[in-house]
Amino acid sequence: MKHKRVRTTISVVIGLLLSGSLFSDAALAQATSSNPTAQAQPSAPWDRQINPAAVQADVWFNNYKFRDGETLNRLKIHYATLGTPHRNAQGDIDNAVLVLHWTGADSRALLSPTFTKALFGPGRPLDSTRYYLIFPDSVGHGQSSQPSDGLKAKFPNYDYGDMVDIQHKLVTETLGIKHLHAILGMSMGGMNAWQWAEAYPTMMDGVMPVVSLPTKVSGRNLLWRRMVIDSIRSDPQWKNGDYTQTPHGWVLGYNVLRMMIDSAEDLQNTIPDSAAADKFLAFNQVAADHVDANDVLYSLKSSFSYDPEPQLSKIKTKLFALNFSDDEFNPDRLGVLERTVPTLKQGRYVVQAGTSTSPGHFTMTRPDLWASHVADFMQWLGDKPSSTNG
């Protein structure tokens, strides 16, 4: 351990982060059927489908007021649960684990066979027969309220703080949970996990942020987000959010996202020549055309107020941070975890080494590559490992 016009919305954009496929399987087939060049590009190695073992639910908050003062008449938050709540002698749920998705994903991505097999199946680190797992779709994502529902650019502005506020409201008011056993979050969800640890320092036994840093969005991470936002807003086709066809500026912006999400080594391997680059760019154009530009714009700008570093001293709970050495969003060479985690009362971190084929930031969508660290985290919380846990 190192000190260690299919409406597919942004809920299919990955990580902001993004992978090669922004569609459901049906939408992908429809889109690529009319574009032979795009067909050659492989789809993303994660799926997004309803898990029949999960309980799906919606909660509505009337006249919800966001932090900037704007109000939404009816805020819908979709969530799913897996497993059964266990109650202690006082009648309180004591096995709840909150699992938070990355930008552009939702509960369906986290409940896919890929994640279930690696993390939630029998004997895995978050075995659903042992834990009560909660998967909310953050505002602006998945089946929760978002700009593409109809309000477009009139949708209230939200930020990561609003996401955590709403997650807390769901956990405490809707589900009646006073204390979480753990929080696991990836990318944006990891950033939310840092915020949870600061805002509610005694409400959980531990948090595990994956591919995220406890510092404000800056440098290259800020620049590419600004470049995409400016590209959308400066396109005459955007029409202040009232576009009738995908703004070309978003298509160009998506190329930036695709280049940033992957590792330099993996792109070097998968795009060896101009022909491969043509296929990559052609697929990007088809993909971007099936994602709502307003949803993208809102999700990008929601990160600008994120800055947990000044409040790190508030964190009391156990915190286990996991990053990847080939993550270009959160470059290990900046030394952020090395500087910040040792200042925590109970902090640990691991930077897992990348390989010539690991997909950088997108490694978060391959939990089979990092599930052992989740097992270490749960053992640190005092949980006895299953004999079949790998």
Side-chain angles (χ1 to χ4, degrees), residues 184-243:
L184 170 67
M186 287 136 282
S187 193
M188 178 185 76
M191 297 159 84
N192 290 162
W194 285 100
Q195 293 175 301
W196 263 91
E198 290 184 353
Y200 309 103
T202 63
M203 195 183 157
M204 72 292 292
D205 297 326
V207 300
M208 185 173 181
V210 179
V211 287
S212 63
L213 296 176
T215 188
K216 64 183 178 181
V217 176
S218 58
R220 223 169 32 171
N221 200 0
L222 175 60
L223 283 174
W224 74 261
R225 295 168 190 261
R226 285 288 306 276
M227 289 165 66
V228 174
I229 289 174
D230 292 348
S231 182
I232 295 172
R233 285 177 167 168
S234 64
D235 189 331
Q237 293 179 319
W238 183 57
K239 299 179 181 179
N240 293 318
D242 291 324
Y243 48 84

Side-chain angles (χ1 to χ4, degrees), residues 26-319:
L28 177 62
Q30 178 181 353
T32 56
S33 65
S34 61
N35 190 324
T37 304
Q39 288 183 32
Q41 190 74 6
S43 61
W46 65 283
D47 44 13
R48 182 172 167 268
Q49 55 187 280
I50 298 298
N51 185 324
V55 176
Q56 307 288 333
D58 296 323
V59 59
W60 296 85
F61 300 114
N62 293 327
N63 299 313
Y64 187 83
K65 188 174 182 179
F66 292 87
R67 289 191 174 195
D68 75 344
E70 293 181 283
T71 301
L72 187 63
N73 289 340
R74 294 201 78 203
L75 170 65
K76 173 189 174 183
I77 296 297
H78 180 80
Y79 67 98
T81 60
L82 195 63
T84 304
H86 176 271
R87 296 185 182 273
N88 59 23
Q90 291 73 43
D92 297 325
I93 296 173
D94 60 5
N95 66 334
V97 177
L98 185 65
V99 188
L100 303 174
H101 62 76
W102 56 93
T103 305
D106 57 27
S107 55
R108 289 167 290 187
L110 297 178
L111 284 163
S112 68
T114 299
F115 272 83
T116 299
K117 182 179 179 181
L119 293 179
F120 314 130
R124 303 311 300 163
L126 293 174
D127 187 336
S128 61
T129 65
R130 182 177 186 179
Y131 300 104
Y132 181 51
L133 306 167
I134 305 161
F135 306 85
D137 289 1
S138 290
V139 61
H141 295 72
Q143 299 175 73
S144 293
S145 295
Q146 56 197 300
S148 57
D149 290 338
L151 287 177
K152 300 182 178 180
K154 296 181 179 65
F155 193 83
N157 288 297
Y158 64 85
D159 66 8
Y160 284 7
D162 289 303
M163 290 181 184
V164 172
D165 290 345
I166 296 166
Q167 291 160 5
H168 181 263
K169 194 174 181 68
L170 169 68
V171 168
T172 58
E173 296 182 15
T174 304
L175 297 176
I177 297 170
K178 298 178 181 178
H179 187 86
L180 291 165
H181 184 45
I183 299 176
L184 170 67
M186 287 136 282
S187 193
M188 178 185 76
M191 297 159 84
N192 290 162
W194 285 100
Q195 293 175 301
W196 263 91
E198 290 184 353
Y200 309 103
T202 63
M203 195 183 157
M204 72 292 292
D205 297 326
V207 300
M208 185 173 181
V210 179
V211 287
S212 63
L213 296 176
T215 188
K216 64 183 178 181
V217 176
S218 58
R220 223 169 32 171
N221 200 0
L222 175 60
L223 283 174
W224 74 261
R225 295 168 190 261
R226 285 288 306 276
M227 289 165 66
V228 174
I229 289 174
D230 292 348
S231 182
I232 295 172
R233 285 177 167 168
S234 64
D235 189 331
Q237 293 179 319
W238 183 57
K239 299 179 181 179
N240 293 318
D242 291 324
Y243 48 84
T244 55
Q245 62 183 27
T246 303
H248 185 62
W250 160 230
V251 178
L252 296 177
Y254 181 62
N255 287 331
V256 176
L257 298 180
R258 283 291 291 118
M259 189 169 61
M260 282 295 297
I261 186 68
D262 215 334
S263 68
E265 292 81 4
D266 192 46
L267 287 175
Q268 189 71 23
N269 289 330
T270 57
I271 307 179
D273 52 36
S274 293
D278 288 343
K279 293 176 182 177
F280 178 86
L281 294 172
F283 183 87
N284 286 354
Q285 181 165 350
V286 177
D289 195 41
H290 288 75
V291 178
D292 188 88
N294 280 327
D295 288 347
V296 173
L297 193 155
Y298 269 76
S299 70
L300 285 172
K301 67 181 183 178
S302 68
S303 67
F304 291 162
S305 61
Y306 173 79
D307 185 16
E309 189 166 2
Q311 306 295 322
L312 289 177
S313 62
K314 293 183 176 180
I315 297 178
K316 314 296 182 188
T317 192
K318 292 180 178 178
L319 186 144

